[in-house]
Amino acid sequence: MENTTKKITTLQLVESALMIAIATVCSMVKIDLPFGGGVTILSMLPIVLISHRYGWKWGVLVAFVYSIAQMLLGLDNVGYADSFLMGAGIVLLDYILAYTVIGLSGVFGKERKSVAIGIAVTFVLRFLCHYVAGAWIWGVWMPEEFMGMKMVSPWIYSALYNGWYMLIELVATEIVAMLIYQPLKPFFMGEQLQKADK
């Protein structure tokens, strides 16, 4: 039993590290959008997969590690802060919380419908983090006009700026997750773990 536990833990760690690495590489391949922001190549999907495979608690831990990697890659953004509070807001809202919430996807279970709900809910939570940061911190750089509209509030600006790239990320991740669900169902269901327990 001791060896089995060690084997499962090793498998879990290796798969998680691999998924963090894949997610990080995918996050670096970004398609810049004409109105600002960018869409990654399904960078959140590996974190979603781990959360559903091993459960939301492990998913949150993996997502937190991923958030640290994202923060280190985007550290220059913290340089825009003109106070400690603003810097802390960028770190927490745009990185730590925004990416860690993706790990909660597994709360909804392992079935196809549960994966779809998990992605939708956690991506909306991520959007809310960026939305608050966008209005509170990045709103000072709000242009007079955005997407052909006159900007009168940083909250509207942040909703538009963050909303449209997050919507694209959400839809793309949902589509691919639904397409790969059936062929990868044993991975989602954690079948190797169940066999190891017997």
Side-chain angles (χ1 to χ4, degrees):
M1 185 66 181
E2 203 173 299
N3 290 339
T4 305
T5 306
K6 189 175 180 186
K7 198 183 290 181
I8 293 168
T9 304
T10 303
L11 175 66
Q12 197 167 333
L13 287 171
V14 169
E15 285 181 353
S16 301
L18 186 62
M19 289 302 188
I20 290 168
I22 292 169
T24 302
V25 170
C26 289
S27 75
M28 295 164 83
V29 182
K30 198 175 278 190
I31 301 162
D32 290 323
L33 299 174
F35 293 109
V39 177
T40 66
I41 310 298
L42 303 169
S43 62
M44 297 289 92
L45 187 55
I47 308 302
V48 168
L49 289 172
I50 283 295
S51 182
H52 287 278
R53 178 163 172 76
Y54 291 109
W56 69 269
K57 289 178 185 175
W58 183 257
V60 166
L61 179 61
V62 169
F64 173 74
V65 173
Y66 175 71
S67 78
I68 299 295
Q70 288 301 297
M71 184 184 69
L72 293 174
L73 288 171
L75 213 50
D76 55 330
N77 284 337
V78 182
Y80 289 102
D82 57 14
S83 70
F84 174 80
L85 185 62
M86 194 178 275
I90 292 170
V91 168
L92 284 172
L93 291 170
D94 270 338
Y95 294 102
I96 304 298
L97 289 175
Y99 293 105
T100 300
V101 294
I102 302 299
L104 290 169
S105 189
V107 164
F108 299 93
K110 296 173 181 284
E111 297 299 328
R112 186 184 219 135
K113 184 174 153 186
S114 306
V115 173
I117 293 168
I119 292 169
V121 170
T122 57
F123 276 50
V124 168
L125 290 174
R126 182 185 158 194
F127 160 74
L128 290 173
C129 291
H130 292 310
Y131 171 61
V132 172
W136 170 43
I137 297 161
W138 305 108
V140 294
W141 288 282
M142 179 181 75
E144 286 184 22
E145 194 176 288
F146 185 71
M147 296 177 85
M149 292 176 271
K150 185 174 172 57
M151 290 293 103
V152 293
S153 165
W155 294 97
I156 294 170
Y157 170 62
S158 182
L160 293 170
Y161 183 95
N162 292 295
W164 86 299
Y165 79 80
M166 278 303 305
L167 181 61
I168 296 169
E169 288 261 10
L170 167 60
V171 171
T173 305
E174 286 279 21
I175 290 169
V176 174
M178 294 305 98
L179 288 173
I180 67 169
Y181 182 84
Q182 203 54 45
L184 290 183
K185 192 171 181 180
F187 185 86
F188 279 100
M189 302 304 283
E191 271 182 19
Q192 282 177 298
L193 293 180
Q194 289 164 6
K195 285 175 186 171
D197 279 339
K198 288 177 182 175

